Amino acid sequence: MKEEKRKFALYLGAATATRQTILSASFLTKIEEGEAEKLAPHNAGDADYDAYFMVSKAKTPRWMQILSGVFNMPQFKKGSPASVVIFEEAGRIFAVTFGYGSKLLNEYQVEGDFGIKLAINAVADTALKAVQKSNVASAIQQFAQSSFKARFGSFGGQNKFEILKRVSGAVAADDDLNSVVGAAGLSLTTKLNFADIKQIASKALTFYASDAYKKTAFSVVDEFKPVFALAEVERLDALLLQSVQSQQSTFEICLPQLNVEDSGYVKIYGSGLKGDFPDVSLDLYKTSFDNLADITLADLKDDSVCLYNDEHVNVGNWSVYKCLIGGLDDADGTRYVLNDAHWYIPSEAIVQLVEKYFDDRKAPSDPKLATFEVTEWEKEVGKKGKTKAVPVYEREETYNERVANDAGYVLFDQIWHVADDGTFQKLEVCDLYDPESLRMIHVKRTSRQPSMLSYLFEQGQRAADLWQRDDVRAQFIARVRAEAGDAAADKLAAVALEPGALIIEFAIADHENAQGHHTIPFLGKLSFENKARDVELRGFKSQVRFITLEKPHAI
């Protein structure tokens, strides 16, 4: 006879949690108002459990409203039931949830890494069933599953810039736990009954406290430590809001979708923006506010971004806050990154690696890469009533054409390469080519917004890929020959595929910081390291160079 298996969802309360604070404020209100009830146990021995039950109010689905215009629809009365059972074990508060019971918990009073840390200690890195990861710099989530036990590497492993979100697999050499799915909470399959839940909790606590994962492929999870303390999250959210309210925020809106193919168009609800948009950005969202200082944290959490596919089917809804990615440094110099509505602290090893990688590839200024010309000055009034003159710069296309003429570079901005096999019609290799130093230069006027930096570095990565094609190299060299002469073209052709001979350069135009230096946000450096390594694997050198822009000044 096949042994019966049962499933439980288990959460560990934070060290400061009590039987009351582990429940959300809204659920506690429902208990007080009689919308939820506390369950009485059958036996006196179970009195140390606090069990609650509620049924959500029935909501008529939208599709029923559509059909009701044509048909006589039956009355819809059913709601969804949920329960939460609170108990103590080994001096800690635990919660077992049923139905949508996890939504009734206070997310700041549960250990946010309980499930994931337990799973990577309990499941061998060779016995995985599914893995979900999120890239720190892009917020794109990757989900992969296997029909059999697989190694971590079979799911792509985890690079140092990814955050592990969910892990599932079989538990090795354990008679009680058969399989687990770990995220914030723990979903487990076991032969044990609910009467054994304290035994399960005790074992789970042992797995959670273990550091066995540090000796496995899962050790990379320590590269980004999540921030769980409510006071700390609120402090970081306040700094986030200041950045969002500024003209050049270090944050950007990036859809946390699982499949890029789902993208069709987006709508933004709650902000007053009307219409469909092919893409979404923080700048677009901010246009719905007459004064950026009016943006509140509540706006970011209440306004939503909705993604639709080409068949006009809604495939995802997220708050603006959940879509924000970016990073900041606090007054003490501690770096933080925001990803998928959670704050993380990168490890010191990651910070040092990224900073060194960027600094090692930071080239000195090039006099031939002149500053962007100011076409006019606009008057701007700040929050405190102070007036300043803000420069309006020439367009990048105009700048590239001017520099190409003045410096003797070859202009490739909006010079399209076409594949002989028809795989693409219009792609650029670079904006400018320096025939003397063999530099393929990509120019971008900004260094603050993550999306702009990510796009810039992706351009370099794409250029390195395109250069591997015979047809693209031939078209590129032919233009160099036409614009710069035979000697320049022959020089390039001679070393076209020689490792380390050619340079892909990212020229970023921006103001100097308060210390008189040029830099980019930490998240931008993460993106640079990620893309530049790919560039170098394809035989190029990579480097960053800054172009100093004229700053706004007080009037």
Side-chain angles (χ1 to χ4, degrees), residues 484-496:
D486 290 339
D490 292 343
K491 177 181 178 181
L492 173 59
V495 297

Side-chain angles (χ1 to χ4, degrees), residues 253-305:
I253 292 177
C254 188
L255 297 181
Q257 64 205 63
L258 288 173
N259 298 305
V260 178
E261 292 78 11
D262 286 336
S263 298
Y265 60 92
V266 295
K267 290 177 178 286
I268 303 176
Y269 293 106
S271 66
L273 282 177
K274 304 295 183 184
D276 306 339
F277 303 97
D279 199 359
V280 64
S281 68
L282 183 57
D283 282 343
L284 174 64
Y285 173 71
K286 287 159 72 169
T287 60
S288 61
F289 295 87
D290 294 331
N291 188 340
L292 296 183
D294 292 337
I295 302 175
T296 67
L297 190 62
D299 291 326
L300 301 179
K301 293 189 175 183
D302 293 341
D303 295 346
S304 60
V305 178

